[in-house]
Amino acid sequence: MKQNDLNNLTGKIFPLTLKSTTVINRPDPPVVTPLGNGVMLDINGTYYIISAGHLMNIKDFPDLMIQAKNNKMTLCNGKLVTTYKTYGDSQKIDIAIFRFSQRQNKHIDGYYRFIKPNDIGIEHKTVETSSYIISGYPLNNIKKITGQPVYIAEPLQVLTATARKRTYKKFGFDPKTHILVKLLGRIKPFSSKFKKRLKKPTGISGSGLWYVPNWKKVDKNGVPEHILVGILTDNFIDQGFVVAVRIDFATDIISHNFGVSGKPSHLTNFAEEIKQVYEVEIP
């Protein structure tokens, strides 16, 4: 596919994936402190956030909030299931699922683009082509507005490919549990012929890793199919890659801990890889 055609197609995907992404915050009156990202999910009218466990951990949970309608923030009231009890824990599988209480819907309904279960791809078989999209809001691209609990966020939008198999082995990652994708120190923006230095993004954890199965398969609006296959958890940009935990663990938690029926993953071993999850609920 020609580069211009690829640029045009990715340009149609980015606004949608960003609209499905929220920034998770902690109050720091009179402002808020952004911590990372999460992907918004709708299952039969019930809203969820899929994020990294270290961001949405049990200890910090009571204070967590996201952007809502009318330039306001809303607390994350509902049920959290996470693999992290505190931010400083060390767990192989870094994942969290949060379910909003129904009374919170009025604050976020219509503000985000919620993905649906058929937008999620479990048992993903990685490919080495440029078929992956990183979409989120790094903390060093967020500008706070003085004295207000709002800010302006500049997104990170990258089309990339998977890292080589030897990278998994070198850094101790299992391809059955994680997906490693390239993120180098220099990138070429889609609107430019020249590469520019990429400031090391901090706080991209919780962002979605999206996969485009077929660039030629588009909907009536010309948007290629794109599915969520992972959640970013670790930043190794100095070594040329970032790490995403496979989305299979999120769907397994939704099934096991939220009672939502769905197709089980035969790639990941939930019981073996996740020794314990933590739950808390704020009605």
Side-chain angles (χ1 to χ4, degrees):
M1 180 174 290
K2 295 181 180 179
Q3 189 64 43
N4 285 342
D5 293 337
L6 191 59
N7 290 348
N8 290 334
L9 290 171
T10 52
K12 293 181 178 181
I13 295 175
F14 283 141
L16 300 179
T17 54
L18 288 171
K19 190 67 175 175
S20 301
T21 303
T22 188
V23 178
I24 298 167
N25 309 272
R26 183 180 62 238
D28 188 13
V31 298
V32 294
T33 298
L35 303 174
N37 296 257
V39 177
M40 308 297 278
L41 170 66
D42 176 358
I43 303 178
N44 299 323
T46 299
Y47 295 154
Y48 298 79
I49 298 176
I50 308 174
S51 186
H54 71 270
L55 294 179
M56 301 195 79
N57 62 76
I58 295 296
K59 182 180 178 181
D60 294 335
F61 173 62
D63 294 327
L64 299 182
M65 53 177 52
I66 64 169
Q67 286 183 297
K69 296 177 181 178
N70 303 317
N71 285 328
K72 294 183 179 180
M73 293 279 171
T74 185
L75 286 166
C76 292
N77 289 344
K79 179 179 178 180
L80 174 69
V81 179
T82 176
T83 55
Y84 273 61
K85 192 172 184 179
T86 69
Y87 181 89
D89 288 353
S90 179
Q91 302 291 343
K92 179 180 179 181
I93 306 303
D94 185 355
I95 195 75
I97 306 294
F98 167 71
R99 183 184 66 195
F100 287 93
S101 63
Q102 289 292 327
R103 64 184 178 84
Q104 295 297 97
N105 288 7
K106 63 181 179 291
H107 300 297
I108 54 177
D109 193 16
Y111 185 78
Y112 293 99
R113 171 185 174 264
F114 292 85
I115 67 170
K116 301 295 179 67
N118 59 0
D119 296 315
I120 292 175
I122 64 171
E123 300 175 354
H124 172 62
K125 185 177 180 180
T126 58
V127 298
E128 295 183 358
T129 57
S130 295
S131 301
Y132 298 89
I133 286 175
I134 297 171
S135 187
Y137 298 96
L139 302 190
N140 50 359
N141 280 12
I142 290 178
K143 299 178 181 179
K144 294 184 180 180
I145 299 176
T146 304
Q148 299 182 47
V150 292
Y151 45 76
I152 300 172
E154 180 182 341
L156 174 70
Q157 305 170 100
V158 177
L159 174 65
T160 185
T162 54
R164 295 180 178 180
K165 292 182 179 180
R166 65 188 184 193
T167 305
Y168 285 84
K169 184 176 181 180
K170 180 179 178 179
F171 291 92
F173 289 101
D174 185 344
K176 290 184 179 180
T177 60
H178 294 83
I179 301 173
L180 277 54
V181 293
K182 298 174 182 177
L183 188 60
L184 307 175
R186 298 181 71 84
I187 60 172
K188 181 169 72 66
F190 292 112
S191 59
S192 172
K193 295 181 179 180
F194 306 100
K195 291 185 177 181
K196 70 175 184 179
R197 185 170 298 280
L198 176 65
K199 179 170 57 176
K200 182 175 182 179
T202 59
I204 59 173
S205 291
S207 302
L209 178 65
W210 309 81
Y211 169 65
V212 181
N214 185 350
W215 288 103
K216 295 181 179 180
K217 183 180 179 181
V218 299
D219 63 16
K220 62 181 180 180
N221 297 314
V223 181
E225 178 187 11
H226 51 286
I227 56 177
L228 183 68
V229 296
I231 295 293
L232 296 190
T233 57
D234 295 283
N235 185 346
F236 286 78
I237 191 173
D238 292 337
Q239 286 77 36
F241 69 95
V242 290
V243 181
V245 64
R246 283 186 175 272
I247 202 64
D248 305 53
F249 292 106
T251 58
D252 281 343
I253 287 177
I254 291 172
S255 177
H256 294 163
N257 298 85
F258 291 94
V260 178
S261 60
K263 178 184 175 183
S265 173
H266 297 292
L267 176 64
T268 56
N269 189 323
F270 182 85
E272 180 179 318
E273 301 294 348
I274 298 181
K275 302 302 182 183
Q276 183 175 4
V277 295
Y278 303 94
E279 295 187 21
V280 65
E281 185 167 5
I282 300 176

